[in-house]
PDB file of all heavy atoms in Angstrom:
ATOM      1  N   PRO A  12       4.986  -2.847  -7.764  1.00 98.00           N
ATOM      2  CA  PRO A  12       5.070  -3.804  -8.940  1.00 98.00           C
ATOM      3  C   PRO A  12       4.557  -5.229  -8.650  1.00 98.00           C
ATOM      4  O   PRO A  12       4.717  -5.719  -7.567  1.00 98.00           O
ATOM      5  CB  PRO A  12       6.667  -3.800  -9.060  1.00 98.00           C
ATOM      6  CG  PRO A  12       7.209  -3.220  -7.805  1.00 98.00           C
ATOM      7  CD  PRO A  12       6.089  -2.308  -7.337  1.00 98.00           C
ATOM      8  N   ASN A  13       3.987  -5.695  -9.733  1.00 97.00           N
ATOM      9  CA  ASN A  13       3.547  -7.018  -9.886  1.00 97.00           C
ATOM     10  C   ASN A  13       2.200  -7.277  -9.111  1.00 97.00           C
ATOM     11  O   ASN A  13       1.509  -8.327  -9.216  1.00 97.00           O
ATOM     12  CB  ASN A  13       4.566  -8.036  -9.394  1.00 97.00           C
ATOM     13  CG  ASN A  13       5.788  -7.946 -10.262  1.00 97.00           C
ATOM     14  OD1 ASN A  13       5.801  -8.106 -11.443  1.00 97.00           O
ATOM     15  ND2 ASN A  13       6.957  -7.774  -9.624  1.00 97.00           N
ATOM     16  N   LEU A  14       1.704  -6.309  -8.322  1.00 97.00           N
ATOM     17  CA  LEU A  14       0.467  -6.529  -7.690  1.00 97.00           C
ATOM     18  C   LEU A  14      -0.695  -6.611  -8.564  1.00 97.00           C
ATOM     19  O   LEU A  14      -1.817  -7.154  -8.223  1.00 97.00           O
ATOM     20  CB  LEU A  14       0.261  -5.439  -6.527  1.00 97.00           C
ATOM     21  CG  LEU A  14       1.163  -5.661  -5.274  1.00 97.00           C
ATOM     22  CD1 LEU A  14       1.262  -4.499  -4.473  1.00 97.00           C
ATOM     23  CD2 LEU A  14       0.706  -6.878  -4.495  1.00 97.00           C
ATOM     24  N   LEU A  16      -0.830  -8.690 -10.799  1.00 95.00           N
ATOM     25  CA  LEU A  16      -0.959 -10.106 -10.984  1.00 95.00           C
ATOM     26  C   LEU A  16      -1.623 -10.871  -9.894  1.00 95.00           C
ATOM     27  O   LEU A  16      -1.817 -12.072  -9.979  1.00 95.00           O
ATOM     28  CB  LEU A  16       0.470 -10.752 -11.188  1.00 95.00           C
ATOM     29  CG  LEU A  16       1.277 -10.109 -12.293  1.00 95.00           C
ATOM     30  CD1 LEU A  16       2.644 -10.735 -12.356  1.00 95.00           C
ATOM     31  CD2 LEU A  16       0.588 -10.333 -13.679  1.00 95.00           C
ATOM     32  N   LEU A  17      -2.040 -10.175  -8.832  1.00 96.00           N
ATOM     33  CA  LEU A  17      -2.693 -10.823  -7.708  1.00 96.00           C
ATOM     34  C   LEU A  17      -3.869 -11.583  -8.146  1.00 96.00           C
ATOM     35  O   LEU A  17      -4.637 -11.293  -9.017  1.00 96.00           O
ATOM     36  CB  LEU A  17      -3.275  -9.793  -6.692  1.00 96.00           C
ATOM     37  CG  LEU A  17      -2.412  -9.333  -5.556  1.00 96.00           C
ATOM     38  CD1 LEU A  17      -3.229  -8.476  -4.630  1.00 96.00           C
ATOM     39  CD2 LEU A  17      -1.808 -10.538  -4.834  1.00 96.00           C
ATOM     40  N   GLY A  18      -4.044 -12.814  -7.589  1.00 90.00           N
ATOM     41  CA  GLY A  18      -5.087 -13.688  -7.792  1.00 90.00           C
ATOM     42  C   GLY A  18      -4.850 -14.746  -8.971  1.00 90.00           C
ATOM     43  O   GLY A  18      -5.533 -15.589  -9.181  1.00 90.00           O
ATOM     44  N   THR A  19      -3.645 -14.543  -9.613  1.00 84.00           N
ATOM     45  CA  THR A  19      -3.290 -15.442 -10.709  1.00 84.00           C
ATOM     46  C   THR A  19      -2.264 -16.488 -10.304  1.00 84.00           C
ATOM     47  O   THR A  19      -2.177 -17.519 -10.954  1.00 84.00           O
ATOM     48  CB  THR A  19      -2.736 -14.615 -12.009  1.00 84.00           C
ATOM     49  OG1 THR A  19      -1.578 -13.909 -11.488  1.00 84.00           O
ATOM     50  CG2 THR A  19      -3.762 -13.514 -12.365  1.00 84.00           C
ATOM     51  N   ARG A  20      -1.395 -16.039  -9.339  1.00 83.00           N
ATOM     52  CA  ARG A  20      -0.281 -16.922  -8.975  1.00 83.00           C
ATOM     53  C   ARG A  20      -0.054 -16.832  -7.493  1.00 83.00           C
ATOM     54  O   ARG A  20      -0.495 -15.802  -6.926  1.00 83.00           O
ATOM     55  CB  ARG A  20       0.927 -16.648  -9.695  1.00 83.00           C
ATOM     56  CG  ARG A  20       1.098 -17.039 -11.139  1.00 83.00           C
ATOM     57  CD  ARG A  20       2.339 -16.545 -11.791  1.00 83.00           C
ATOM     58  NE  ARG A  20       3.478 -16.819 -10.855  1.00 83.00           N
ATOM     59  CZ  ARG A  20       4.645 -16.065 -10.704  1.00 83.00           C
ATOM     60  NH1 ARG A  20       4.677 -14.920 -11.445  1.00 83.00           N
ATOM     61  NH2 ARG A  20       5.500 -16.313  -9.874  1.00 83.00           N
ATOM     62  N   GLU A  21       0.524 -17.911  -6.831  1.00 84.00           N
ATOM     63  CA  GLU A  21       0.960 -17.829  -5.482  1.00 84.00           C
ATOM     64  C   GLU A  21      -0.230 -17.495  -4.535  1.00 84.00           C
ATOM     65  O   GLU A  21       0.029 -16.676  -3.691  1.00 84.00           O
ATOM     66  CB  GLU A  21       2.161 -16.931  -5.260  1.00 84.00           C
ATOM     67  CG  GLU A  21       3.328 -17.298  -6.170  1.00 84.00           C
ATOM     68  CD  GLU A  21       4.660 -16.516  -5.808  1.00 84.00           C
ATOM     69  OE1 GLU A  21       5.339 -16.960  -4.868  1.00 84.00           O
ATOM     70  OE2 GLU A  21       4.878 -15.457  -6.363  1.00 84.00           O
ATOM     71  N   TYR A  25      -0.401 -14.958  -1.231  1.00 88.00           N
ATOM     72  CA  TYR A  25      -1.109 -13.660  -1.407  1.00 88.00           C
ATOM     73  C   TYR A  25      -2.527 -13.779  -1.445  1.00 88.00           C
ATOM     74  O   TYR A  25      -3.250 -12.678  -1.492  1.00 88.00           O
ATOM     75  CB  TYR A  25      -0.552 -12.984  -2.762  1.00 88.00           C
ATOM     76  CG  TYR A  25       0.946 -12.717  -2.768  1.00 88.00           C
ATOM     77  CD1 TYR A  25       1.780 -13.311  -3.708  1.00 88.00           C
ATOM     78  CD2 TYR A  25       1.472 -11.948  -1.744  1.00 88.00           C
ATOM     79  CE1 TYR A  25       3.143 -13.017  -3.645  1.00 88.00           C
ATOM     80  CE2 TYR A  25       2.823 -11.642  -1.763  1.00 88.00           C
ATOM     81  CZ  TYR A  25       3.652 -12.244  -2.683  1.00 88.00           C
ATOM     82  OH  TYR A  25       4.993 -12.037  -2.652  1.00 88.00           O
ATOM     83  N   ASN A  77       1.312  -0.191  -0.296  1.00 98.00           N
ATOM     84  CA  ASN A  77       2.013  -1.388  -0.562  1.00 98.00           C
ATOM     85  C   ASN A  77       2.951  -1.287  -1.624  1.00 98.00           C
ATOM     86  O   ASN A  77       2.640  -1.475  -2.878  1.00 98.00           O
ATOM     87  CB  ASN A  77       0.973  -2.634  -0.809  1.00 98.00           C
ATOM     88  CG  ASN A  77       1.738  -4.016  -0.936  1.00 98.00           C
ATOM     89  OD1 ASN A  77       2.913  -4.033  -0.872  1.00 98.00           O
ATOM     90  ND2 ASN A  77       0.908  -5.080  -0.971  1.00 98.00           N
ATOM     91  N   ALA A  79       5.352  -3.226  -2.418  1.00 98.00           N
ATOM     92  CA  ALA A  79       5.653  -4.512  -2.976  1.00 98.00           C
ATOM     93  C   ALA A  79       7.242  -4.703  -2.960  1.00 98.00           C
ATOM     94  O   ALA A  79       7.833  -4.288  -1.911  1.00 98.00           O
ATOM     95  CB  ALA A  79       5.108  -4.777  -4.504  1.00 98.00           C
ATOM     96  N   GLY A  80       7.875  -5.076  -4.011  1.00 98.00           N
ATOM     97  CA  GLY A  80       9.221  -5.342  -4.011  1.00 98.00           C
ATOM     98  C   GLY A  80      10.105  -4.060  -3.622  1.00 98.00           C
ATOM     99  O   GLY A  80      11.231  -4.212  -3.075  1.00 98.00           O
ATOM    100  N   THR A  82       9.513  -1.973  -1.447  1.00 98.00           N
ATOM    101  CA  THR A  82       9.605  -1.907   0.011  1.00 98.00           C
ATOM    102  C   THR A  82      11.048  -2.113   0.481  1.00 98.00           C
ATOM    103  O   THR A  82      11.567  -1.405   1.429  1.00 98.00           O
ATOM    104  CB  THR A  82       8.714  -2.999   0.639  1.00 98.00           C
ATOM    105  OG1 THR A  82       7.462  -2.821   0.272  1.00 98.00           O
ATOM    106  CG2 THR A  82       8.754  -2.913   2.155  1.00 98.00           C
ATOM    107  N   HIS A  83      11.701  -3.157  -0.062  1.00 98.00           N
ATOM    108  CA  HIS A  83      12.980  -3.626   0.442  1.00 98.00           C
ATOM    109  C   HIS A  83      14.168  -3.054  -0.235  1.00 98.00           C
ATOM    110  O   HIS A  83      15.285  -3.379   0.102  1.00 98.00           O
ATOM    111  CB  HIS A  83      12.977  -5.197   0.227  1.00 98.00           C
ATOM    112  CG  HIS A  83      11.739  -5.839   0.583  1.00 98.00           C
ATOM    113  ND1 HIS A  83      11.191  -5.809   1.889  1.00 98.00           N
ATOM    114  CD2 HIS A  83      10.788  -6.446  -0.100  1.00 98.00           C
ATOM    115  CE1 HIS A  83      10.039  -6.354   2.005  1.00 98.00           C
ATOM    116  NE2 HIS A  83       9.676  -6.877   0.761  1.00 98.00           N
ATOM    117  N   VAL A 102       1.500  -1.272   4.038  1.00 98.00           N
ATOM    118  CA  VAL A 102       0.523  -2.448   3.992  1.00 98.00           C
ATOM    119  C   VAL A 102       1.247  -3.566   3.280  1.00 98.00           C
ATOM    120  O   VAL A 102       1.878  -3.365   2.133  1.00 98.00           O
ATOM    121  CB  VAL A 102      -0.777  -2.070   3.278  1.00 98.00           C
ATOM    122  CG1 VAL A 102      -1.690  -3.239   3.164  1.00 98.00           C
ATOM    123  CG2 VAL A 102      -1.465  -0.981   4.054  1.00 98.00           C
ATOM    124  N   HIS A 103       1.100  -4.789   3.767  1.00 98.00           N
ATOM    125  CA  HIS A 103       1.465  -6.028   3.036  1.00 98.00           C
ATOM    126  C   HIS A 103       0.451  -7.128   3.197  1.00 98.00           C
ATOM    127  O   HIS A 103      -0.106  -7.301   4.285  1.00 98.00           O
ATOM    128  CB  HIS A 103       2.826  -6.517   3.516  1.00 98.00           C
ATOM    129  CG  HIS A 103       3.955  -5.525   3.292  1.00 98.00           C
ATOM    130  ND1 HIS A 103       4.397  -5.269   2.034  1.00 98.00           N
ATOM    131  CD2 HIS A 103       4.660  -4.782   4.168  1.00 98.00           C
ATOM    132  CE1 HIS A 103       5.452  -4.365   2.174  1.00 98.00           C
ATOM    133  NE2 HIS A 103       5.555  -4.040   3.403  1.00 98.00           N
ATOM    134  N   LEU A 104       0.200  -7.910   2.153  1.00 97.00           N
ATOM    135  CA  LEU A 104      -0.678  -9.000   2.239  1.00 97.00           C
ATOM    136  C   LEU A 104      -0.019 -10.138   3.098  1.00 97.00           C
ATOM    137  O   LEU A 104      -0.630 -10.673   3.966  1.00 97.00           O
ATOM    138  CB  LEU A 104      -0.923  -9.479   0.785  1.00 97.00           C
ATOM    139  CG  LEU A 104      -1.618  -8.616  -0.140  1.00 97.00           C
ATOM    140  CD1 LEU A 104      -1.300  -8.880  -1.663  1.00 97.00           C
ATOM    141  CD2 LEU A 104      -3.093  -8.679   0.035  1.00 97.00           C
ATOM    142  N   SER A 105       1.257 -10.456   2.735  1.00 96.00           N
ATOM    143  CA  SER A 105       1.940 -11.458   3.497  1.00 96.00           C
ATOM    144  C   SER A 105       2.738 -10.715   4.604  1.00 96.00           C
ATOM    145  O   SER A 105       2.779  -9.492   4.827  1.00 96.00           O
ATOM    146  CB  SER A 105       2.977 -12.104   2.577  1.00 96.00           C
ATOM    147  OG  SER A 105       4.002 -11.156   2.177  1.00 96.00           O
ATOM    148  N   PRO A 107       6.273 -10.095   5.534  1.00 98.00           N
ATOM    149  CA  PRO A 107       7.671 -10.172   5.051  1.00 98.00           C
ATOM    150  C   PRO A 107       8.686 -10.668   6.040  1.00 98.00           C
ATOM    151  O   PRO A 107       9.663 -11.324   5.741  1.00 98.00           O
ATOM    152  CB  PRO A 107       8.017  -8.755   4.681  1.00 98.00           C
ATOM    153  CG  PRO A 107       6.673  -8.075   4.443  1.00 98.00           C
ATOM    154  CD  PRO A 107       5.735  -8.699   5.346  1.00 98.00           C
ATOM    155  N   ARG A 110       9.286 -14.418   5.943  1.00 96.00           N
ATOM    156  CA  ARG A 110       9.644 -14.855   4.637  1.00 96.00           C
ATOM    157  C   ARG A 110      11.142 -14.752   4.538  1.00 96.00           C
ATOM    158  O   ARG A 110      11.958 -14.854   5.439  1.00 96.00           O
ATOM    159  CB  ARG A 110       8.869 -14.224   3.632  1.00 96.00           C
ATOM    160  CG  ARG A 110       7.364 -14.440   3.699  1.00 96.00           C
ATOM    161  CD  ARG A 110       6.616 -13.689   2.649  1.00 96.00           C
ATOM    162  NE  ARG A 110       6.912 -14.156   1.358  1.00 96.00           N
ATOM    163  CZ  ARG A 110       6.514 -13.575   0.164  1.00 96.00           C
ATOM    164  NH1 ARG A 110       5.917 -12.430   0.268  1.00 96.00           N
ATOM    165  NH2 ARG A 110       6.911 -14.014  -0.997  1.00 96.00           N
ATOM    166  N   ARG A 114      13.553  -9.926   2.575  1.00 98.00           N
ATOM    167  CA  ARG A 114      12.324  -9.140   2.725  1.00 98.00           C
ATOM    168  C   ARG A 114      12.252  -8.521   4.246  1.00 98.00           C
ATOM    169  O   ARG A 114      11.270  -7.976   4.486  1.00 98.00           O
ATOM    170  CB  ARG A 114      11.031 -10.041   2.513  1.00 98.00           C
ATOM    171  CG  ARG A 114      10.945 -10.540   1.146  1.00 98.00           C
ATOM    172  CD  ARG A 114       9.702 -11.355   0.991  1.00 98.00           C
ATOM    173  NE  ARG A 114       9.782 -12.244  -0.190  1.00 98.00           N
ATOM    174  CZ  ARG A 114       9.569 -11.881  -1.440  1.00 98.00           C
ATOM    175  NH1 ARG A 114       9.163 -10.615  -1.748  1.00 98.00           N
ATOM    176  NH2 ARG A 114       9.746 -12.758  -2.421  1.00 98.00           N
TER     177      ARG A 114
HETATM  178  O1  CA2 B   1       2.981  -9.192   0.904  1.00 53.99           O
HETATM  179  C1  CA2 B   1       3.038  -8.169   0.198  1.00 53.99           C
HETATM  180  O2  CA2 B   1       2.059  -7.462   0.078  1.00 53.99           O
HETATM  181  C2  CA2 B   1       4.417  -7.763  -0.495  1.00 53.99           C
HETATM  182  O3  CA2 B   1       4.407  -6.407  -0.613  1.00 53.99           O
HETATM  183  C3  CA2 B   1       4.138  -8.409  -1.925  1.00 53.99           C
HETATM  184  C4  CA2 B   1       5.441  -8.239  -2.771  1.00 53.99           C
HETATM  185  C5  CA2 B   1       6.613  -8.739  -2.079  1.00 53.99           C
HETATM  186  O4  CA2 B   1       7.764  -8.412  -2.906  1.00 53.99           O
HETATM  187  C6  CA2 B   1       6.787  -8.140  -0.682  1.00 53.99           C
HETATM  188  O5  CA2 B   1       7.932  -8.615   0.050  1.00 53.99           O
HETATM  189  C7  CA2 B   1       5.595  -8.403   0.209  1.00 53.99           C
HETATM  190  C8  CA2 B   1       5.285  -8.960  -4.104  1.00 53.99           C
HETATM  191  C9  CA2 B   1       4.055  -8.596  -4.923  1.00 53.99           C
HETATM  192  C10 CA2 B   1       4.028  -9.520  -6.066  1.00 53.99           C
HETATM  193  O6  CA2 B   1       2.667  -9.936  -6.143  1.00 53.99           O
HETATM  194  C11 CA2 B   1       2.430 -11.205  -6.932  1.00 53.99           C
HETATM  195  C12 CA2 B   1       1.196 -11.427  -7.000  1.00 53.99           C
HETATM  196  C13 CA2 B   1       0.791 -12.620  -7.725  1.00 53.99           C
HETATM  197  C14 CA2 B   1       1.769 -13.269  -8.412  1.00 53.99           C
HETATM  198  C15 CA2 B   1       3.100 -12.943  -8.319  1.00 53.99           C
HETATM  199  C16 CA2 B   1       3.454 -11.812  -7.498  1.00 53.99           C
END
Side-chain angles (χ1 to χ4, degrees):
N13 299 307
L14 286 166
L16 301 176
L17 266 189
T19 65
R20 283 180 44 217
E21 304 191 85
Y25 299 120
N77 185 350
T82 302
H83 316 297
V102 178
H103 297 288
L104 295 153
S105 65
R110 300 180 63 193
R114 296 184 202 278

